Coordinates of all heavy atoms in Angstrom, one line a residue:
D1 N 0.8 -1.2 0.0 CA 0.0 0.0 0.0 C 0.8 1.3 0.0 O 0.3 2.4 -0.2 CB -0.9 0.0 1.2 CG -2.0 -1.1 1.2 OD1 -2.3 -1.5 0.1 OD2 -2.5 -1.5 2.3
S2 N 2.1 1.2 0.3 CA 3.0 2.3 0.3 C 3.2 2.9 -1.1 O 3.3 2.1 -2.1 CB 4.3 2.0 1.0 OG 4.1 1.6 2.3
Q3 N 3.4 4.2 -1.2 CA 3.8 4.8 -2.4 C 5.1 5.7 -2.3 O 5.2 6.3 -1.2 CB 2.6 5.8 -2.9 CG 1.3 5.0 -3.2 CD 0.3 5.9 -3.8 OE1 0.6 7.0 -4.2 NE2 -1.0 5.4 -3.8
R4 N 5.9 5.6 -3.3 CA 7.2 6.2 -3.2 C 7.5 7.0 -4.4 O 7.3 6.6 -5.5 CB 8.3 5.2 -2.9 CG 9.7 5.7 -2.8 CD 10.7 4.6 -2.5 NE 12.1 5.1 -2.4 CZ 13.1 4.3 -2.1 NH1 12.9 3.0 -1.9 NH2 14.3 4.8 -2.0
T5 N 8.0 8.2 -4.2 CA 8.5 9.1 -5.3 C 9.9 9.5 -5.1 O 10.2 10.0 -4.0 CB 7.6 10.3 -5.4 OG1 6.2 9.9 -5.4 CG2 7.9 11.1 -6.7
S6 N 10.8 9.3 -6.0 CA 12.2 9.5 -5.8 C 12.8 10.4 -6.9 O 12.2 10.7 -7.9 CB 13.0 8.2 -5.9 OG 12.4 7.2 -4.9
G7 N 14.0 11.0 -6.5 CA 14.8 11.7 -7.5 C 14.1 13.0 -7.9 O 13.5 13.7 -7.1
K8 N 14.2 13.3 -9.2 CA 13.7 14.5 -9.7 C 12.2 14.6 -9.6 O 11.6 15.7 -9.5 CB 14.1 14.7 -11.2 CG 15.6 15.0 -11.4 CD 15.9 15.4 -12.8 CE 17.4 15.8 -12.9 NZ 17.8 16.2 -14.3
D9 N 11.5 13.5 -9.7 CA 10.1 13.5 -9.5 C 9.7 14.0 -8.2 O 8.7 14.8 -8.0 CB 9.5 12.1 -9.7 CG 9.5 11.7 -11.2 OD1 9.7 12.5 -12.1 OD2 9.5 10.4 -11.4
A10 N 10.4 13.6 -7.1 CA 10.1 14.1 -5.8 C 10.4 15.5 -5.6 O 9.6 16.3 -5.1 CB 10.9 13.3 -4.8
Q11 N 11.5 16.0 -6.2 CA 11.9 17.4 -6.1 C 10.8 18.2 -6.9 O 10.4 19.3 -6.4 CB 13.2 17.6 -6.7 CG 14.4 17.1 -5.8 CD 15.7 17.3 -6.5 OE1 15.8 17.3 -7.7 NE2 16.8 17.4 -5.7
S12 N 10.5 17.8 -8.0 CA 9.5 18.5 -8.8 C 8.1 18.6 -8.1 O 7.5 19.7 -8.1 CB 9.3 17.8 -10.2 OG 8.3 18.5 -11.0
M13 N 7.7 17.5 -7.5 CA 6.4 17.5 -6.8 C 6.4 18.5 -5.7 O 5.5 19.3 -5.5 CB 6.1 16.1 -6.3 CG 4.8 16.0 -5.6 SD 4.6 14.3 -5.0 CE 5.9 14.2 -3.7
N14 N 7.5 18.5 -4.9 CA 7.6 19.4 -3.8 C 7.6 20.9 -4.2 O 7.1 21.8 -3.6 CB 8.8 19.1 -2.9 CG 8.6 17.8 -2.1 OD1 7.5 17.4 -1.9 ND2 9.7 17.1 -1.8
I15 N 8.4 21.1 -5.3 CA 8.5 22.5 -5.8 C 7.2 23.0 -6.3 O 6.8 24.1 -6.0 CB 9.6 22.6 -6.9 CG1 11.0 22.4 -6.3 CG2 9.5 23.9 -7.7 CD1 12.1 22.3 -7.3
Q16 N 6.5 22.2 -7.0 CA 5.2 22.6 -7.5 C 4.2 22.9 -6.4 O 3.4 23.8 -6.5 CB 4.6 21.4 -8.4 CG 5.4 21.2 -9.7 CD 5.6 22.4 -10.5 OE1 4.7 23.3 -10.7 NE2 6.8 22.5 -11.1
A17 N 4.3 22.1 -5.3 CA 3.4 22.3 -4.2 C 3.7 23.7 -3.5 O 2.8 24.4 -3.2 CB 3.5 21.2 -3.2
G18 N 5.0 24.0 -3.3 CA 5.4 25.2 -2.7 C 5.0 26.4 -3.6 O 4.5 27.4 -3.1
K19 N 5.2 26.3 -4.9 CA 4.8 27.4 -5.8 C 3.3 27.6 -5.8 O 2.8 28.7 -5.9 CB 5.3 27.0 -7.2 CG 6.8 27.2 -7.4 CD 7.3 26.5 -8.7 CE 6.6 26.9 -10.0 NZ 7.1 26.2 -11.1
A20 N 2.5 26.5 -5.7 CA 1.1 26.6 -5.7 C 0.6 27.4 -4.5 O -0.3 28.2 -4.6 CB 0.4 25.3 -5.7
V21 N 1.2 27.2 -3.3 CA 0.8 27.9 -2.1 C 1.1 29.4 -2.3 O 0.3 30.2 -2.0 CB 1.5 27.3 -0.9 CG1 1.3 28.2 0.3 CG2 1.0 25.9 -0.6
A22 N 2.3 29.7 -2.8 CA 2.7 31.1 -2.9 C 1.8 31.8 -3.9 O 1.4 32.9 -3.7 CB 4.2 31.1 -3.4
E23 N 1.5 31.1 -5.0 CA 0.7 31.7 -6.0 C -0.8 32.0 -5.5 O -1.4 32.9 -6.0 CB 0.6 30.8 -7.3 CG 0.2 31.5 -8.5 CD 1.1 32.6 -9.0 OE1 2.3 32.5 -8.7 OE2 0.6 33.6 -9.6
S24 N -1.2 31.2 -4.6 CA -2.6 31.3 -4.1 C -2.8 32.6 -3.3 O -3.9 33.1 -3.2 CB -3.0 30.1 -3.2 OG -2.2 30.1 -2.0
V25 N -1.7 33.1 -2.7 CA -1.8 34.4 -1.9 C -1.1 35.6 -2.5 O -1.2 36.7 -2.0 CB -1.2 34.2 -0.5 CG1 -2.0 33.1 0.3 CG2 0.3 33.8 -0.5
R26 N -0.5 35.4 -3.7 CA 0.3 36.4 -4.3 C -0.5 37.6 -4.6 O 0.0 38.8 -4.5 CB 1.0 35.9 -5.5 CG 2.0 36.8 -6.1 CD 2.7 36.2 -7.3 NE 3.5 37.2 -8.1 CZ 4.0 37.0 -9.2 NH1 4.0 35.8 -9.8 NH2 4.7 38.0 -9.8
T27 N -1.7 37.5 -5.1 CA -2.5 38.6 -5.5 C -3.0 39.5 -4.4 O -3.6 40.5 -4.6 CB -3.7 38.1 -6.3 OG1 -4.5 37.2 -5.6 CG2 -3.3 37.4 -7.6
T28 N -2.8 39.0 -3.1 CA -3.2 39.8 -2.0 C -2.1 40.8 -1.5 O -2.4 41.6 -0.6 CB -3.5 38.9 -0.8 OG1 -2.3 38.3 -0.3 CG2 -4.5 37.8 -1.2
L29 N -1.0 40.8 -2.1 CA 0.2 41.6 -1.7 C 0.0 43.0 -2.0 O -0.3 43.3 -3.2 CB 1.5 41.0 -2.2 CG 2.8 41.7 -1.7 CD1 3.0 41.4 -0.2 CD2 4.0 41.2 -2.5
G30 N 0.4 43.9 -1.1 CA 0.5 45.3 -1.4 C -0.8 46.1 -1.2 O -1.9 45.6 -0.8
P31 N -0.7 47.4 -1.3 CA -1.8 48.3 -1.0 C -3.0 48.1 -2.0 O -4.1 48.5 -1.6 CB -1.2 49.7 -1.2 CG 0.0 49.6 -2.0 CD 0.5 48.2 -1.7
K32 N -2.8 47.5 -3.1 CA -3.9 47.3 -4.0 C -4.1 45.8 -4.2 O -4.7 45.4 -5.2 CB -3.6 47.9 -5.4 CG -3.7 49.4 -5.4 CD -3.9 50.0 -6.8 CE -4.2 51.5 -6.7 NZ -4.4 52.1 -8.0
G33 N -3.7 45.0 -3.2 CA -3.9 43.6 -3.3 C -5.4 43.2 -3.1 O -6.2 44.0 -2.5
M34 N -5.8 42.1 -3.7 CA -7.2 41.7 -3.7 C -7.5 40.9 -2.5 O -6.6 40.3 -1.9 CB -7.6 41.0 -5.0 CG -7.3 41.7 -6.2 SD -8.4 43.2 -6.4 CE -10.0 42.5 -6.7
D35 N -8.8 40.8 -2.1 CA -9.2 39.9 -1.0 C -9.6 38.5 -1.5 O -9.9 38.3 -2.7 CB -10.4 40.5 -0.3 CG -10.0 41.8 0.5 OD1 -8.8 42.1 0.6 OD2 -10.9 42.5 0.9
K36 N -9.7 37.6 -0.6 CA -10.1 36.3 -0.9 C -11.3 35.9 0.0 O -11.4 36.4 1.1 CB -9.1 35.2 -0.6 CG -7.7 35.5 -1.3 CD -7.7 35.3 -2.8 CE -6.3 35.4 -3.3 NZ -6.3 35.4 -4.8
M37 N -12.2 35.1 -0.5 CA -13.3 34.6 0.3 C -13.2 33.2 0.6 O -13.1 32.4 -0.3 CB -14.7 34.9 -0.4 CG -15.9 34.4 0.4 SD -17.4 34.6 -0.5 CE -17.7 36.4 -0.3
L38 N -13.2 32.8 1.9 CA -13.1 31.4 2.3 C -14.4 31.0 2.9 O -14.9 31.6 3.8 CB -11.9 31.2 3.3 CG -10.5 31.4 2.8 CD1 -9.6 31.4 4.0 CD2 -10.1 30.4 1.8
V39 N -14.9 29.9 2.4 CA -16.2 29.3 2.9 C -15.9 27.9 3.4 O -15.4 27.0 2.6 CB -17.2 29.3 1.8 CG1 -18.6 28.8 2.4 CG2 -17.4 30.7 1.1

């Protein structure tokens, strides 16, 4: 049942995850940043 990701695939997966989090809040930055609605 275990799943394993190694090498460049693991690095790429982690980098994509980090970039996705940063991109999700990037438009809120600054005096003219937009708001988000969480439900």
Side-chain angles (χ1 to χ4, degrees):
D1 294 336
S2 298
Q3 296 187 15
R4 179 177 181 177
T5 311
S6 305
K8 288 190 175 181
D9 288 340
Q11 289 176 332
S12 177
M13 180 181 67
N14 290 335
I15 288 172
Q16 296 307 320
K19 286 164 56 180
V21 173
E23 200 62 33
S24 68
V25 297
R26 187 177 168 189
T27 57
T28 67
L29 185 67
K32 289 199 171 183
M34 302 297 287
D35 292 348
K36 309 287 186 187
M37 178 184 287
L38 293 173
V39 185

